Every structure is written in structure tokens, then in C-alpha cells.
Amino acid sequence: MTWKNQTFQILIASILLASCDAFQEDVAPKGEEELVLVEGISALPNTPVFIDLKKTIRSSEAVRFSIGAAPIKGSATISDQAILQYIPNSDFTQGQDVVSIQLINRSGQPIDTDSLLITMATSADSLPCFNGALSDYYSVSKNSSLIIYPIANDGYCVESTSGAVIDFLAEPTHGTLSQVELFTYRYTPDVDFVGQEQFMYELTLIDNEGAEFYSLGQVNIEVTIASSGCDSMVYPLTYEMPDSLSYLDVLPYAPSPACDVFTWTVHLKSVLSGSAEVLHNGLIRYYPGTDSIDVIDYSISFGDQTFDNQITIIIEGRTDDQCLEAIYDEYQLPIKKDSLGTRDHPYILDVAENDITCSSEYAIAILIEPEIGVSSVNAEHMIEYYVEDFGSDSTETALLYQICAGGVCDTAHVSLMLEF
């Protein structure tokens, strides 16, 4: 099956408009208009970012690209196909980093330089809408299949998206890929194959005004040998849960009859939307969040061997309506030493103004402070922001806030563009 020309698109009725453009026009030499990266992308810890520069930066003069100033908190390379790969350092878990990109013409001369801002998010559910595809990691036992859901960490917001297209660039090298349902696929490794599998996909998100947001992602799969000489059947599972249930108990390990020992240890790593706990009998008890599809990441150990694994929960009967959703915000703030944006005259940011809530009673909290300036929440549930250090060369920063109402919470980033 050839995946390069097959796309899967969903049209969703819009209930709000939330667009966070990742590009702006920049005037290049000779008056040519070029589309260049300006706002950047949010990433997850230990997760590479891929960007197709030829499709992102459209220029008739630029024939290749190079790294300008090297990033401080990660590494960046550009392939012969003009694919930028940024790999964050293992200790880069919060804050921001910058990648400088040079546009080079046919004579080998730089004609323009642009910077890509990398902002580290705390979790996949805190990524801004239209953020772009991020790498996915899975593991599966030899001769077992695997369910993958690549769009889970790609900034796909149902309410503000009128269409989404996933296009796999090539077939897997050591297995086959088939579609299970929308945006959900089954990977089956070749018989007795053990090793690493990698393949790329293109993601196009379309907002409610028809604007398209293109990005690249990579699926990484580790096919392992079953432990203890028997088939432990450790592979990602999919469960369907009626919306009427308050929780669901799922078995993270399906032991084979050939195995004599059925003891294992489960460690929860993350839950995309809801929450979970490990019961004394090894079951995972899942409590749903606000999303209609949720993902549980965990590890399972058999003696001295540990496997990473994943459970996908599909909640039946749940509509797209949500009683709480935090929406990404962006502000341009002129900072004046004697007036605006100072301690005595801070900016008041009403970040909840465009959030979705079903209650007039809500609370705001700042989870990650901006690297530039000082932020706090006032009695009116608004964020007060001011700058003390006027010597900073950077003009971009961000913060992460949480809004809670009706017993549920959600998070969103606030991007701050400063003008000194």
C-alpha cells in the first residue's frame, strides 16, 4: 500500500475561532516577499522537532539553508532535503531555546536570517493549537501489532480546526501500516523482526478560516524480544469506554498461557487528558478527562526487564462540546521605563476572556513563569505582568497558566512579544 498519496480528512463544525499563526511576512533583499518562521513551536522534553524548510520558507532566491548561531539548550542539523531537526538536551525541560536559520542563494551568499523559537511545554495537552507535528515513540513485542495515534501530541484542537490531513511519506521499512479509524493506525512488524522502525508523516491542519498549517512528524517504534522466554504480549492496547462510566479498569498486561509467572510491576508515566492509578492487583484504573480520546503512557517491568507501553481510551458517546478549554493567547506589549509595563503600571492580561467555561466561577494559576518579566494573578482572575530588567536582548517570552472551573482544569500558553 502506498501512503504518500493517501490522505485522511475530517470536517468538523466550528464552535469557536482560535488561530495562532506561526509565520509572518518578512521583506527579503530585492523586495521579494518571503514567508519565514517567527513565532516558533512548542516542544516536549526529549522529543525531536522536524521542519521542512523548503515548504515553510518559500523563496525563489534561497536554494539551501544552514544553521546560523547554534542553539544553547539542544542541537540542530539540516539534511540535504532541507529538513531541520532540533533535538533538545535531556535537561531542557522548561523555558525556551532559539535556532538561527540562514537562507543561502545560488552564489552561496546568505540573503536572510531568521530565528525559530523553541518553547518547552509541560505536557501534550498544554500544546497550543496548530503547534505542529512532534515525534512519537512506541514499543511492541516481536510478532505483535501496535495501535498508533500520531496526532495526539500535534496541537490538534477539534473546536478550532475545520480539517486535518495526515500523509505518510513512505511505507514502514520493517512492517506494514493500516488505518483502523480516523487518525488511528495499526503497525504490524514483519515476522520475527526485532529492532528500530522509523517513518515520517506530514500533517496539515486547517483552521476555521481556511488557513493551512503544515508540519512534519516522525514515528519511532522499538520492536523487542518478549521476556522470560515466553510471549509477554506487551503491546499498546485500545479500550472503548462509555461516557456514562466514572472510571474504567484496564489490564495493562495480557499474559500468554505459555508463561508460568504472572507477576509484573506497573509505573504510570503520564495521562494525556484524564488521570489514572495502579490498583493492588496490577490493574490500571482510569478516570476520564475532557477529551473524547485519551492516552495512558506507562512502563511495565518483569524482573529486570522494563518495557514502555501505551493504552488508548476511546470514550463512546462524548460530543465535541467541552465545559472547559483554555485557549492559546498572544500579546504585543510596548514596554516604557517610565510608564507602561513597569511595577507601578503593569499590563493586565485577561487570558480567560477567550477560554471556554460553563461557569462564571473559575480560578487562574500560573504554572510556568516567563523567563523575562514578572507575572502574578490578581483578585479579578487576571494576570498582571511587568518587566524590571530592561537590558535583555530578547523580545519574546511565554508563560503557562491553568484555569479551573467546575472541578476540571486545563492549561494554555501565553506568548508575549515585547517592544522596548
Side-chain angles (χ1 to χ4, degrees):
M1 179 181 294
T2 301
W3 289 93
K4 188 171 184 180
N5 297 319
Q6 290 195 359
T7 58
F8 310 100
Q9 183 164 350
I10 179 172
L11 296 178
I12 305 167
S14 62
I15 61 173
L16 62 94
L17 178 63
S19 173
C20 46
D21 294 340
F23 314 101
Q24 77 173 8
E25 291 185 353
D26 182 24
V27 179
K30 302 180 182 180
E32 179 184 8
E33 289 187 352
E34 296 179 358
L35 197 64
V36 298
L37 293 166
V38 60
E39 187 172 287
I41 188 172
S42 293
L44 294 173
N46 301 310
T47 302
V49 173
F50 295 87
I51 295 176
D52 188 338
L53 296 177
K54 286 184 177 179
K55 290 190 176 182
T56 302
I57 304 178
R58 296 192 291 270
S59 170
S60 60
E61 291 190 60
V63 296
R64 64 185 181 88
F65 309 90
S66 66
I67 300 297
I72 298 176
K73 301 179 182 179
S75 61
T77 57
I78 298 176
S79 71
D80 294 337
Q81 292 76 34
I83 303 299
L84 168 69
Q85 179 181 2
Y86 173 83
I87 303 176
N89 295 336
S90 59
D91 59 352
F92 180 22
T93 58
Q94 61 180 357
Q96 297 174 319
D97 198 6
V98 176
V99 180
S100 177
I101 304 167
Q102 288 188 330
L103 284 67
I104 302 174
N105 63 16
R106 291 175 177 80
S107 301
Q109 300 298 318
I111 60 173
D112 200 4
T113 301
D114 194 43
S115 296
L116 169 66
L117 180 68
I118 306 289
T119 300
M120 191 59 63
T122 55
S123 62
D125 60 351
S126 66
L127 295 171
C129 298
F130 308 104
N131 178 75
L134 295 178
S135 297
D136 302 277
Y137 291 86
Y138 302 92
S139 63
V140 62
S141 297
K142 181 181 69 172
N143 297 328
S144 299
S145 63
L146 166 72
I147 296 295
I148 65 173
Y149 186 65
I151 205 171
N153 64 344
D154 293 347
Y156 172 58
C157 302
V158 174
E159 291 80 6
S160 53
T161 306
S162 65
V165 178
I166 290 181
D167 187 8
F168 291 95
L169 299 181
E171 297 180 10
T173 305
H174 306 291
T176 58
L177 197 64
S178 59
Q179 187 183 10
V180 177
E181 56 186 42
L182 193 65
F183 308 137
T184 305
Y185 310 90
R186 182 180 298 277
Y187 169 77
T188 304
D190 294 338
V191 176
D192 293 335
F193 169 73
V194 174
Q196 300 289 331
E197 175 82 276
Q198 293 179 332
F199 48 91
M200 303 286 295
Y201 67 94
E202 297 175 326
L203 173 66
T204 302
L205 298 176
I206 307 168
D207 70 12
N208 292 332
E209 290 186 333
E212 296 186 357
F213 301 80
Y214 169 85
S215 56
L216 280 179
Q218 186 179 67
V219 178
N220 304 268
I221 301 175
E222 181 179 6
V223 184
T224 62
I225 299 175
S227 64
S228 305
C230 64
D231 184 10
S232 61
M233 298 178 67
V234 177
Y235 57 88
L237 305 169
T238 300
Y239 286 86
E240 294 184 352
M241 174 183 179
D243 189 31
S244 58
L245 295 181
S246 58
Y247 65 87
L248 178 70
D249 290 340
V250 297
L251 182 65
Y253 165 54
S256 167
C259 298
D260 295 328
V261 180
F262 299 127
T263 59
W264 62 86
T265 302
V266 176
H267 174 68
L268 290 173
K269 299 169 64 177
S270 65
V271 183
L272 191 61
S273 174
S275 61
E277 61 179 331
V278 180
L279 304 182
H280 68 279
N281 55 1
L283 290 174
I284 293 178
R285 176 160 292 180
Y286 165 76
Y287 302 91
T290 58
D291 294 344
S292 58
I293 297 180
D294 207 350
V295 178
I296 304 171
D297 284 307
Y298 66 98
S299 63
I300 184 167
S301 300
F302 303 88
D304 59 354
Q305 290 188 314
T306 300
F307 301 89
D308 291 329
N309 208 11
Q310 192 173 75
I311 296 174
T312 300
I313 307 290
I314 301 173
I315 303 179
E316 298 176 320
R318 175 164 291 185
T319 67
D320 293 331
D321 296 332
Q322 296 183 4
C323 276
L324 182 69
E325 182 179 1
I327 306 298
Y328 173 80
D329 296 278
E330 180 181 284
Y331 294 90
Q332 292 187 347
L333 306 177
I335 306 296
K336 306 295 183 182
K337 292 184 179 180
D338 56 349
S339 58
L340 292 176
T342 61
R343 179 189 291 270
D344 294 332
H345 303 281
Y347 277 100
I348 306 299
L349 311 179
D350 189 1
V351 295
E353 183 180 16
N354 64 334
D355 292 347
I356 301 174
T357 62
C358 295
S359 171
S360 59
E361 299 294 329
Y362 60 85
I364 298 288
I366 298 173
L367 300 184
I368 298 181
E369 300 282 349
E371 292 191 337
I372 303 172
V374 179
S375 63
S376 61
V377 179
N378 63 22
E380 287 73 35
H381 308 298
M382 297 184 184
I383 293 178
E384 296 187 2
Y385 174 81
Y386 65 89
V387 175
E388 291 182 315
D389 180 12
F390 295 91
S392 174
D393 294 331
S394 177
T395 59
E396 299 180 29
T397 190
L399 61 89
L400 179 70
Y401 76 94
Q402 176 180 263
I403 182 171
C404 296
V408 295
C409 299
D410 196 16
T411 60
H413 277 89
V414 178
S415 176
L416 304 176
M417 312 292 289
L418 308 179
E419 300 175 6
F420 292 98

